[in-house]
Amino acid sequence: TYQSRMIAKAESNNRNLLMMLVNAAESQSSPRPSTPPPAVVSPLPRSVPTLAPSSDSDSESPSRYTKPKMSFADAIMDMLMNEQYSRIVAFLPDDQSWGITDAKQFADRVMPKVFGIRTFSSFVRKLNRWGFERIMEKKTHDIDVFRHVNFRKGDWQSCRNIKCIGRLAKNPSEVA
């Protein structure tokens, strides 16, 4: 049927993208060429510090800076754009999906530092609340891959339009 052909084609495309991601991750371990990497589509700078009054001094002489809180989607984009994590988590070549290539390192190093989350299942639940879709692991060769229609590499404006959809109601009577 038409639907089964489309599903088979999508699975084939996902396998091809993952193989490209794996090959890209393997090539990163070899010496890098002298040419600079291509520029990313107009990224906005990371959060700019703003002045906030110190609690122990008068409010007229601010003495420390505070960083505005990033949304969960912004934090994901920031993490993916950060070279420090490129061997652990990265965008797929289509620039619309991203994958976790080293789940152990991601859970041990990235999740607590970037998101303040300790367990991978909690991270996946939060992704679901923010509208991200998980592509089944069997189709992606045991690499966790996620995507969202408004989440594209370097597109900070669309990223800022992603909102938390919250928890779904348990039964229809809870929906107002």
Side-chain angles (χ1 to χ4, degrees):
T1 67
Y2 176 76
Q3 185 177 11
S4 61
R5 284 193 314 247
M6 294 305 294
I7 290 171
K9 184 177 180 181
E11 288 174 355
S12 174
N13 288 343
N14 285 339
R15 273 193 299 277
N16 291 339
L17 289 173
L18 286 169
M19 293 310 296
M20 292 171 66
L21 176 65
V22 170
N23 291 337
E26 289 172 356
S27 70
Q28 287 180 353
S29 61
S30 62
R32 294 185 179 221
S34 60
T35 59
V40 179
V41 180
S42 65
L44 295 175
R46 294 188 184 188
S47 299
V48 179
T50 56
L51 288 174
S54 174
S55 59
D56 32 315
S57 67
D58 63 336
S59 60
E60 291 181 9
S61 59
S63 62
R64 62 180 148 146
Y65 291 91
T66 59
K67 210 177 183 182
K69 186 171 170 79
M70 295 171 64
S71 75
F72 182 66
D74 285 341
I76 294 171
M77 178 72 78
D78 190 56
M79 169 194 66
L80 288 164
M81 302 302 283
N82 189 337
E83 282 291 319
Q84 177 182 359
Y85 305 121
S86 63
R87 294 179 191 262
I88 301 169
V89 61
F91 274 103
L92 271 66
D94 69 351
D95 290 342
Q96 296 177 350
S97 304
W98 54 278
I100 301 169
T101 56
D102 189 339
K104 173 111 174 80
Q105 286 290 321
F106 183 76
D108 292 345
R109 289 184 47 212
V110 181
M111 285 183 359
K113 183 176 180 182
V114 176
F115 305 105
I117 298 174
R118 299 267 180 234
T119 62
F120 191 74
S121 58
S122 295
F123 178 72
V124 172
R125 278 194 303 273
K126 190 162 187 175
L127 283 170
N128 289 335
R129 285 194 307 269
W130 281 77
F132 284 85
E133 174 187 6
R134 185 179 192 181
I135 300 171
M136 297 306 295
E137 290 178 32
K138 291 179 182 174
K139 296 177 185 176
T140 60
H141 305 286
D142 296 327
I143 297 174
D144 291 300
V145 176
F146 301 92
R147 67 176 164 218
H148 189 287
V149 293
N150 292 327
F151 195 80
R152 291 175 294 282
K153 184 176 184 178
D155 189 352
W156 288 91
Q157 191 60 42
S158 292
C159 179
R160 290 196 171 97
N161 292 331
I162 298 173
K163 304 294 180 203
C164 181
I165 56 178
R167 296 188 173 122
L168 298 175
K170 292 182 182 177
N171 62 48
S173 63
E174 293 181 23
V175 180

